[in-house]
Amino acid sequence: MPNNLSLTIDAARLQAEIDTLATYSDAPAPAVTRILFTPTELEARDYVRGLMREAALSLREDAVGNIFGRWEGADDTLPAVATGSHIDAIPFSGKYDGVVGVLGAIEAVRALRQAGFTPQRPIELIMFTAEEPTRFKVGCLGSRALAGKLSPVKLLDLTDGDGNPFDAVRRQAGYIDSLDDVELPGGHYDSFVELHIEQGPRLEAAKLPLGVVTAIAAPATVRVQFEGSGGHAGTVLMPDRRDALPAAAELILSVEKIAQSSTSPDAVATVGLCHIYPGAVNSIASRVYIEVDIRDIDLTSRNRMVDTVVQVAKTIAERRKLEYEVVVLNADDPCTCGREVIGAVVESIEALGYPYQTMVSRAYHDTLFMADLCPTTMIFVPSQNGYSHRPDEYTAPEDIARGVEVLAHTLARLAGGTE
Ligand code: HGY
Ligand code: MN
Ligand code: MN
């Protein structure tokens, strides 16, 4: 790694690209909605492909829609250093989540090239398919598949909320290759570093511009469906009802209580999605579908909460004489980041003279699954007021540029190379 690599990050160009990408949205600005393989998201993919090509990256796309942009190294036989993130966005969210790690990585490559740097190892950017669980109910779909944690058989099982199979939707989007070729072997990458907004309040509270991630919390999702008789809101008397909505209401309050009463400070649980059928003011709910998001850094605590939620859902349904279905959609392990990769980020930050802190990520990211393939870490930049997954998500351009500068130096350090 050249000692005095001095890089110029074009913060204004990067911000303009972030603002342009935000226009590919199915929600009115400043909100962003960009759901996997919708026409809007396909147009956004085209925009990112163009930027990758302009940065002289050679492109490859796999069967689930992960997009790879490769900068060949002096020794292309060596496992690449990888970086990247996602551009899909949950409904009515912000324009920085994931985007900073994709467009920022492209800017890092441009800055390194402009400084005359040539990497020894190849450097590969990855735009992961569907980090958000919005359409197919599983988060990190692309990175899970790369890490072999979402098999071709499981991928063929996936359908979206309208019953469209993942396989049909991906083919309509132009991804027709075999799902068997998605999984990457261990050793395929040397290391992986993801630049991401913190999506929480800690860096801002500590008045620090940078975070280095040492571990990522363990996410789980539980799907619960209650089924009753429904019927006319005026003519079915109270003793004769089997109303699905009060059952869901009981469970939603229990989910909150289960997390609040945990002794673990990082225990969180949320019901962010609830569908009521038929959804009419004068009709008793015949079916209610909810999804529960449960997380903790501590796996035992997280698993205890999942087990309790499943048990409480069953107890409520049986007491109310409702049919029910309770499915644990995913219950992932937390990940510990790689000491050497963390070291490379810390060395880069300290050489640049910036203050920072090491920290755990309470949000999950593609890094969680890349950790099954190689040593990983993340670089966090502050979120204003800790806001994320909301239209007023914001990170200052100078904070983003600083994160990109650290990412670029880290990639150079990990890849080795010459000016
Ligand atoms: O939900 C998460 O942690 C991530 O932002 N998808
Ligand atoms: Mn997100
Ligand atoms: Mn994200």
Side-chain angles (χ1 to χ4, degrees):
M1 148 93 179
N3 289 328
N4 49 4
L5 190 61
S6 92
L7 301 175
T8 307
I9 306 299
D10 189 333
R13 174 176 57 183
L14 177 53
Q15 187 58 52
E17 290 165 351
I18 291 170
D19 295 342
T20 302
L21 187 50
T23 63
Y24 297 98
S25 166
D26 289 324
V32 177
T33 297
R34 200 163 44 235
I35 309 297
L36 176 69
F37 294 156
T38 55
T40 302
E41 197 248 10
L42 294 175
E43 286 167 19
R45 284 170 174 261
D46 263 345
Y47 176 64
V48 173
R49 276 190 204 99
L51 294 177
M52 283 184 165
R53 287 196 188 99
E54 284 165 22
L57 295 167
S58 49
L59 296 193
R60 167 177 90 84
E61 303 192 45
D62 70 12
V64 296
N66 291 312
I67 299 178
F68 305 83
R70 193 173 175 90
W71 181 3
E72 308 301 5
D75 181 351
D76 202 27
T77 63
L78 292 171
V81 171
T83 183
S85 194
H86 64 98
I87 64 162
D88 60 318
I90 69 170
F92 301 101
S93 57
K95 65 180 174 180
Y96 298 92
D97 175 4
V99 166
V100 162
V102 175
L103 301 186
I106 295 171
E107 177 59 24
V109 164
R110 291 187 298 223
L112 286 166
R113 280 190 189 283
Q114 195 186 5
F117 177 76
T118 306
Q120 180 67 15
R121 293 177 176 282
I123 291 176
E124 188 154 275
L125 273 63
I126 310 171
M127 193 206 89
F128 296 98
T129 258
E131 190 269 354
E132 299 295 2
T134 314
R135 183 162 187 183
F136 289 99
K137 310 298 176 194
V138 59
C140 300
L141 187 153
S143 48
R144 270 179 208 271
L146 287 179
K149 294 274 177 136
L150 190 56
S151 65
V153 170
K154 285 253 178 70
L155 282 164
L156 291 173
D157 251 356
L158 294 179
T159 57
D160 68 9
D162 298 324
N164 303 303
F166 170 75
D167 198 44
V169 171
R170 74 170 184 110
R171 291 174 182 280
Q172 277 153 12
Y175 295 101
I176 56 173
D177 292 340
S178 163
L179 294 173
D180 295 334
D181 302 336
V182 173
E183 183 181 352
L184 296 176
H188 181 82
Y189 289 121
D190 164 73
S191 48
F192 176 78
V193 186
E194 180 172 5
L195 173 63
H196 205 287
I197 57 172
E198 180 200 339
Q199 298 184 293
R202 287 169 288 167
L203 286 177
E204 185 178 66
K207 295 190 178 25
L208 289 170
L210 291 160
V212 186
V213 172
T214 56
I216 300 176
T221 316
V222 179
R223 176 173 70 195
V224 180
Q225 181 155 290
F226 292 113
E227 195 128 8
S229 335
H232 193 295
T235 57
V236 179
L237 299 182
M238 296 312 282
D240 306 330
R241 294 185 175 201
R242 293 195 311 129
D243 188 341
L245 191 49
E250 265 198 77
L251 180 59
I252 291 166
L253 286 171
S254 303
V255 164
E256 183 185 48
K257 198 157 250 48
I258 288 163
Q260 284 173 334
S261 55
S262 167
T263 52
S264 166
D266 296 299
V268 289
T270 312
V271 176
L273 186 154
C274 177
H275 292 313
I276 304 166
Y277 303 88
V281 65
N282 55 350
S283 172
I284 301 165
S286 56
R287 195 173 70 245
V288 175
Y289 171 96
I290 64 173
E291 289 179 7
V292 190
D293 180 307
I294 303 168
R295 312 183 192 203
D296 199 329
I297 312 288
D298 177 304
L299 188 56
T300 309
S301 156
R302 197 288 308 275
N303 287 340
R304 192 179 311 118
M305 285 195 285
V306 170
D307 296 345
T308 310
V309 166
V310 168
Q311 193 44 54
V312 166
K314 290 179 177 171
T315 307
I316 291 170
E318 281 154 13
R319 175 164 36 82
R320 287 175 172 266
K321 298 187 180 42
L322 297 172
E323 288 79 53
Y324 64 92
E325 182 195 41
V326 185
V327 178
V328 178
L329 290 176
N330 66 283
D332 303 301
D333 290 344
C335 94
T336 304
C337 296
R339 212 167 27 80
E340 325 71 55
V341 205
I342 292 171
V345 177
V346 166
E347 275 171 40
S348 301
I349 293 175
E350 290 180 350
L352 291 165
Y354 295 134
Y356 70 98
Q357 69 176 39
T358 55
M359 57 202 292
V360 170
S361 174
R362 293 178 171 141
Y364 62 75
H365 302 280
D366 292 304
T367 300
L368 182 63
F369 296 95
M370 290 303 285
D372 288 303
L373 287 173
C374 62
T376 64
T377 188
M378 298 183 75
I379 300 165
F380 273 176
V381 289
S383 294
Q384 190 177 69
N385 303 317
Y387 291 168
S388 182
H389 282 190
R390 10 188 310 178
D392 52 358
E393 180 181 270
Y394 178 77
T395 297
E398 58 273 18
D399 285 336
I400 296 171
R402 194 179 297 108
V404 172
E405 185 187 14
V406 169
L407 176 65
H409 280 272
T410 303
L411 294 175
R413 206 173 287 279
L414 291 168
T418 55
E419 256 182 294

